[in-house]
Amino acid sequence: MQLESVTVRRMTLPMLTPFTTSFGTQTHRDLLIVEAHSGGVTGYGECVALAEPLYSEETTSTCALVIQDYILPRLQGLEISHPREVSAALSPLKRNNMAKAAVEGAIWELWAKRENQSLAQSFGGTKDAVEVGLSIGIKPTDADLIDTVGAAVDAGYKRIKIKIAPGRDLQMMRAVRAEFPDAVLMADANSAYTMADLELFQALDELDLLMVEQPLAHDDIVDHRHLQAAIRTPVCLDESIHSAEDARQAIELGSCRIINIKIGRVGGIAESLKIEQLCRQHGIDVWCGGMLETGIGRAHNVAIASLEGFTLPGDTAPSARYWAEDIIEPEVTMDDGVVAVPTAPGLGFSVKQQLLEDLTVSSFSTDWR
Ligand code: OSB
Ligand code: MG
């Protein structure tokens, strides 16, 4: 297969609920959708970078530039017999993982559709449904948070993740635990702490959290090793893991017991598969992280979470949690805390192409003919 053309669309979607983490509040999602075309078939991918470099160094704008100037020229005329060849072709380009993953994801979906396979099938996903957790942002008051957690418990989410930040941590988590003694709870710090906060994490051990996600610096695996050795709660790495090589080093050091895989953060599906395999070999639990995706990225996440190695509920909540109207139909929905893994070819959802075009504020296409 050769790509005939690629289109990249930029759009801004208002979020139903503002989402606050230790690095800021999001009210809108500024994102890119990639369309890869070949043989009358279109594959879709989503770029999960945020508008500002607050989670990682990539942004929507840097991704658009890197895709246009560096990624697409390397794919022009390339004979692709399997989508894993895409990340190999892009490997000379350092990092820019979210930009690479957006393009690789579109090509992977295109290939799966042409092979008449679902995305999950195309890489060996075996589950027919995936367990879902909810990620709850920082709320103005403990009462607000407790209301939100209560609604999530009632809705059937299999685990509830709560964002923490200095000043909104131990007391707040104790209040939630007191209210919900049996809930499966975890905390995500988005790298807001240092080893000077060790006592805080030792105190969190009392609360029987499923894990604490990315407590220390976004680029650290050494201090996380010391932290993990000093607490009972499993440490999960998110921001620190960009590749299977990073995962190998973190596992070897003992820096975490759990890894959150985000396809965008690690540079694509091929790299996600390597990490999943490595973690299975080492008994490291894995779950699928989220980046407040539209239905396109969400469908990719549900497919990857269908792999055996994804042993814990992921941040793959239903569309209606985020969007007034999603860009796919049907929307992603949840029943009894699980999302069904589609079996139709590709994403298994249809993209509302007219809505996509209406939402597009800028776009570019390759000029390969
Ligand atoms: O750290 O997992 C994170 C959202 C944006 C950036 C980073 C993170 C998150 C979330 C939300 O936790 C997950 C989701 O619901 O998509
Ligand atoms: Mg996280």
Side-chain angles (χ1 to χ4, degrees):
M1 161 179 105
Q2 281 198 14
L3 294 174
E4 284 153 18
S5 68
V6 175
T7 298
V8 178
R9 301 174 182 281
R10 186 162 183 166
M11 59 196 70
T12 302
L13 294 180
M15 300 188 54
L16 280 180
T17 320
F19 192 78
T20 301
T21 62
S22 61
F23 57 72
T25 298
Q26 308 239 114
T27 57
H28 288 75
R29 199 70 182 82
D30 179 18
L31 62 107
L32 306 174
I33 298 296
V34 179
E35 301 174 8
H37 306 283
S38 185
V41 181
T42 302
Y44 293 90
E46 176 166 343
C47 180
V48 301
L50 303 183
E52 296 180 275
L54 298 172
Y55 167 79
S56 74
E57 69 280 17
E58 292 183 274
T59 71
T60 319
S61 296
T62 68
C63 287
L65 179 131
V66 168
I67 291 171
Q68 186 166 25
D69 287 2
Y70 307 113
I71 292 179
L72 296 180
R74 283 180 186 258
L75 302 178
Q76 181 176 4
L78 188 72
E79 182 54 42
I80 300 169
S81 57
H82 189 280
R84 82 169 78 78
E85 295 160 13
V86 173
S87 64
L90 300 179
S91 67
L93 305 176
K94 306 299 181 292
R95 298 278 192 134
N96 291 288
N97 284 350
M98 294 176 181
K100 290 173 178 171
V103 175
E104 190 230 36
I107 297 171
W108 207 298
E109 204 238 338
L110 167 64
W111 185 81
K113 269 186 190 147
R114 290 178 47 134
E115 297 286 310
N116 215 23
Q117 292 185 352
S118 70
L119 195 55
Q121 250 176 351
S122 76
F123 46 65
T126 52
K127 300 181 216 166
D128 54 17
V130 299
E131 294 198 321
V132 180
L134 184 64
S135 176
I136 298 177
I138 295 168
K139 299 290 177 189
T141 65
D142 289 358
D144 277 349
L145 176 61
I146 286 166
D147 281 352
T148 310
V149 172
V153 168
D154 293 344
Y157 286 97
K158 300 280 186 188
R159 67 100 176 103
I160 291 158
K161 155 168 145 182
I162 297 167
K163 296 287 186 178
I164 59 170
R168 303 286 289 146
D169 42 40
L170 184 59
Q171 297 313 323
M172 180 184 83
M173 290 303 294
R174 278 186 177 141
V176 174
R177 177 51 89 203
E179 203 71 31
F180 305 99
D182 303 321
V184 181
L185 299 176
M186 61 176 280
D188 185 358
N190 285 110
S191 73
Y193 298 90
T194 70
M195 280 301 280
D197 302 301
L198 176 59
E199 283 179 14
L200 164 73
F201 292 101
Q202 287 173 328
L204 282 173
D205 270 345
E206 302 155 21
L207 301 181
D208 279 317
L209 302 180
L210 181 63
M211 72 191 88
V212 57
E213 182 178 349
Q214 197 68 36
L216 309 179
H218 71 96
D219 54 357
D220 170 82
I221 57 170
V222 174
D223 282 352
H224 280 102
R225 175 217 184 141
H226 297 310
L227 178 64
Q228 181 66 92
I231 64 175
R232 269 187 290 116
T233 308
V235 169
C236 169
L237 290 178
D238 173 354
E239 283 90 325
S240 293
I241 305 296
H242 301 272
S243 63
E245 199 44 27
D246 285 349
R248 178 190 66 76
Q249 293 180 5
I251 294 168
E252 220 169 280
L253 284 176
S255 308
C256 62
R257 293 197 202 126
I258 301 175
I259 290 178
N260 154 340
I261 293 181
K262 291 178 181 169
I263 300 171
R265 196 192 66 232
V266 305
I269 291 171
E271 198 67 21
S272 300
L273 299 176
K274 288 185 201 164
I275 299 174
E276 183 258 357
Q277 194 180 11
L278 181 81
C279 288
R280 248 189 304 122
Q281 286 161 357
H282 288 85
I284 297 289
D285 283 303
V286 165
W287 54 278
C288 180
M291 291 291 288
L292 312 170
E293 287 89 346
T294 73
I296 292 177
R298 201 162 293 281
H300 281 267
N301 289 347
V302 168
I304 204 94
S306 75
L307 290 161
E308 208 68 54
F310 284 69
T311 50
L312 294 169
D315 282 344
T316 51
S319 304
R321 205 68 225 177
Y322 306 84
W323 315 114
E325 182 183 3
D326 204 342
I327 59 179
I328 58 165
E329 56 193 347
E331 299 196 332
V332 175
T333 54
M334 178 176 85
D335 281 300
D336 293 326
V338 304
V339 168
V341 180
T343 53
L347 295 181
F349 294 90
S350 65
V351 173
K352 297 178 183 170
Q353 187 65 30
Q354 187 59 52
L355 179 60
L356 212 57
E357 288 170 24
D358 293 346
L359 289 168
T360 301
V361 291
S362 62
S363 67
F364 57 86
S365 292
T366 55
D367 183 17
W368 285 346
R369 283 167 209 250

